[in-house]
Amino acid sequence: MSTSMLSTAELYSKFQECTGVSTDTRKITANCLFVALKGDNFNGNQFAQQALASGARYALVDDPAVASQELRCLLVADSLLALQDLARHHRQTLTIPVIGLTGTNGKTTTKELIAAVLSKNYRTYATVGNLNNHIGVPLTVLSIRNDGPTAPYEMAVVEMGANHQKEIELLCSIAQPTHGLITNVGKAHLEGFGGVEGVRKGKGELYDYLAQHGRTVFINSRDKVLMAMYRERLKSLRSETVFAEAIFYPAVDSTEQTIELIQESPVVIYRDEAGYEVITYLPGQYNFENMLSALTIGRYFGVSRDDANRAIAEYNPTNNRSQVIHKGTNTILLDAYNANPSSMAAAIRQFAAMPARRKVVILGDMYELGQESEAEHAALGKLVAESQFDLVILAGKDMKYALGWLPKAYYIPDKFSLHNWLMDHPMTDTHILVKGSRGMGLESVLPFL
């Protein structure tokens, strides 16, 4: 029952005996490594014994008193930092391409599309769900094992999220991407980043890493902000290492023939360079841009055009992101996983352009906007008013700021009342956009539509 602290190398040796890593006692698998993390309202050290009793092989703890009680407790100074160092150590053992991606909007959908395309040729590991932060990225890296039913992996796609500066820098130091992509830079997490310029600087830390380490970058050449950020890196790093190569799209082959968007609603239909039409399950110009990212990366790594198109056509989201759902005579565009001013504006413009007999929007609060929240919700109200929908329903405490532009909108602060209102006002032959931040959980309205 030693209480001496383990080095990263010693910890890695123990990790290699384990089948995986868990930070949640409700998700313990046989012979996994349980990592005891601390938060504002919990202390994982208190659950170490429970994790071991549930089947964990070891428990990583940073409380000497807990470590002294059980031989299978591995003591470190800080469990979170040890987890991150363990992931860095493991990353050094991997020799496969690791594609890192971040951005304000579309990260998860783009990650899923890239993984779908690459999986046509390679055993590909991609971030599971939304494990894209300072805890999720280490867990993702540690999941890229050389053993197991689908191993050894030949490709990895790692999503990186951030709500403040220096976070992407930290995540890059863990994932150490060989290739990278920023989907876009917009208005999100303004409170943590300190405004739009802070968002640009924070997301740009991925470009910084790729440039400083001579790695490959994929850039949407139609995005003026991303192109400016790329040129800034070239200028500032002239005398040092810079990107190994920059791959620009939407041109996706050497003939410079671009893939053409035919239709963006209710779902994207595009025509490829050979003239074949591809029908997808995703709506919106913004998702077409995400598809171009995946097609470009697939082409770069040698996935055939037919296989890449098939992967895009087969991808059908089931995670409250960009879902097109048909219920009776209604068509519902459910995008209830996240919302910020940029993604809201894109979704509303796309919905406004969609041909439909009757259009209704159900919009929930946009979170993490800090002092900008009132102004951004008001600006959203103006955009919605200009779009002239048949019915506007607003939910959440900050959506009241949109009412100045929408005197005829229904404002319902809480979800229980929203559900009741929808039950009392059934809709038919209607296209309905449902969008709000994750904390609003607006997917709960589906049974009432």
Side-chain angles (χ1 to χ4, degrees):
M1 297 188 189
S2 170
T3 55
S4 60
M5 295 196 185
L6 272 71
S7 67
T8 301
E10 290 170 328
L11 179 58
Y12 190 69
S13 178
K14 298 291 188 184
F15 162 73
Q16 288 178 298
E17 298 175 28
C18 300
T19 53
V21 181
S22 176
T23 61
D24 188 339
T25 51
R26 296 165 298 183
K27 299 175 182 177
I28 296 296
T29 55
N31 288 314
C32 73
L33 170 66
F34 171 70
V35 179
L37 299 176
K38 292 195 284 283
D40 293 336
N41 302 309
F42 66 91
N43 183 343
N45 290 291
Q46 297 171 354
F47 301 100
Q49 292 281 8
Q50 181 185 331
L52 292 168
S54 299
R57 188 177 186 91
Y58 296 109
L60 182 65
V61 300
D62 52 17
D63 183 339
V66 172
S68 67
Q69 298 168 17
E70 168 63 61
L71 194 61
R72 290 185 295 153
C73 281
L74 310 175
L75 181 65
V76 292
D78 184 304
S79 294
L80 174 60
L81 295 181
L83 173 67
Q84 294 171 345
D85 285 339
L86 182 65
R88 285 190 191 94
H89 190 97
H90 180 60
R91 175 66 183 88
Q92 295 298 312
T93 71
L94 303 175
T95 56
I96 63 174
V98 175
I99 300 161
L101 77 153
T102 190
T104 300
N105 302 315
K107 289 187 295 296
T108 299
T109 300
T110 304
K111 174 257 298 182
E112 296 285 344
L113 290 169
I114 293 170
V117 170
L118 292 176
S119 292
K120 292 294 184 183
N121 275 36
Y122 305 97
R123 287 186 296 276
T124 303
Y125 188 87
T127 298
V128 176
N130 202 33
L131 288 173
N132 65 10
N133 65 2
H134 62 295
I135 297 168
V137 168
L139 293 175
T140 297
V141 170
L142 289 168
S143 296
I144 309 169
R145 302 285 291 258
N146 291 321
D147 49 17
T150 55
Y153 290 107
E154 299 168 308
M155 288 274 180
V157 187
V158 179
E159 179 183 337
M160 294 184 282
N163 55 23
H164 58 267
Q165 290 181 40
K166 297 295 183 183
E167 192 165 8
I168 296 297
E169 181 182 294
L170 168 69
L171 300 182
C172 283
S173 78
I174 296 168
Q176 299 165 33
T178 57
H179 302 73
L181 166 83
I182 300 177
T183 57
N184 47 57
V185 176
K187 294 178 178 178
H189 306 295
L190 296 179
E191 189 172 22
F193 276 114
V196 176
E197 192 53 42
V199 177
R200 173 172 161 161
K201 188 175 180 182
K203 300 298 183 186
E205 290 163 12
L206 175 57
Y207 280 180
D208 292 337
Y209 179 91
L210 296 169
Q212 289 160 6
H213 292 81
R215 303 304 193 186
T216 297
V217 64
F218 299 95
I219 304 173
N220 184 346
S221 60
R222 288 198 289 229
D223 191 310
K224 293 178 181 177
V225 174
L226 296 179
M227 287 300 291
M229 290 167 63
Y230 167 69
R231 285 191 290 268
E232 285 163 13
R233 268 78 190 166
L234 289 187
K235 188 175 179 182
S236 64
L237 293 167
R238 237 189 341 243
S239 59
E240 303 172 38
T241 306
V242 79
F243 305 101
E245 54 186 330
I247 311 300
F248 299 100
Y249 59 93
V252 292
D253 69 4
S254 57
T255 65
E256 294 297 308
Q257 290 216 285
T258 58
I259 296 171
E260 178 188 1
L261 176 63
I262 299 173
Q263 173 181 310
E264 63 176 283
S265 59
V267 294
V268 168
I269 302 174
Y270 67 84
R271 182 180 292 114
D272 75 3
E273 313 96 312
Y276 294 108
E277 289 190 6
V278 180
I279 301 171
T280 76
Y281 288 102
L282 293 170
Q285 167 77 35
Y286 49 93
N287 273 317
F288 177 59
E289 301 291 330
N290 299 337
M291 293 170 197
L292 285 174
S293 304
L295 291 168
T296 302
I297 291 172
R299 196 71 48 87
Y300 177 84
F301 284 107
V303 178
S304 73
R305 183 179 62 235
D306 288 347
D307 280 346
N309 284 337
R310 195 175 303 115
I312 300 292
E314 290 168 352
Y315 175 69
N316 192 358
T318 55
N319 54 5
N320 303 324
R321 298 174 186 271
S322 297
Q323 286 181 256
V324 179
I325 299 167
H326 299 284
K327 288 193 68 181
T329 59
N330 293 331
T331 298
I332 302 157
L333 277 75
L334 178 64
D335 197 352
Y337 194 86
N338 214 341
N340 56 59
S342 305
S343 66
M344 272 287 201
I348 286 163
R349 290 192 181 103
Q350 182 256 327
F351 189 59
M354 180 184 294
R357 191 179 72 80
R358 183 171 186 264
K359 284 188 257 189
V360 173
V361 293
I362 302 174
L363 305 177
D365 278 354
M366 301 179 288
Y367 287 14
E368 293 188 58
L369 294 178
Q371 295 179 340
E372 303 295 322
S373 188
E374 181 174 347
E376 291 295 349
H377 282 87
L380 177 67
K382 184 172 186 290
L383 177 61
V384 172
E386 291 166 353
S387 303
Q388 298 183 325
F389 297 119
D390 295 286
L391 176 64
V392 176
I393 304 165
L394 306 175
K397 66 181 183 65
D398 283 6
M399 272 296 170
K400 64 176 177 286
Y401 299 124
L403 285 172
W405 294 95
L406 298 162
K408 294 183 180 179
Y410 287 89
Y411 174 60
I412 306 169
D414 67 279
K415 278 202 302 183
F416 179 74
S417 301
L418 174 61
H419 297 165
N420 284 337
W421 191 94
L422 292 171
M423 277 195 291
D424 293 340
H425 299 81
M427 300 179 205
T428 55
D429 297 309
T430 302
H431 280 62
I432 306 161
L433 171 66
V434 180
K435 188 166 177 64
S437 278
R438 178 85 299 267
M440 290 296 298
L442 283 186
E443 66 275 11
S444 67
V445 305
L446 277 180
F448 309 103
L449 297 177

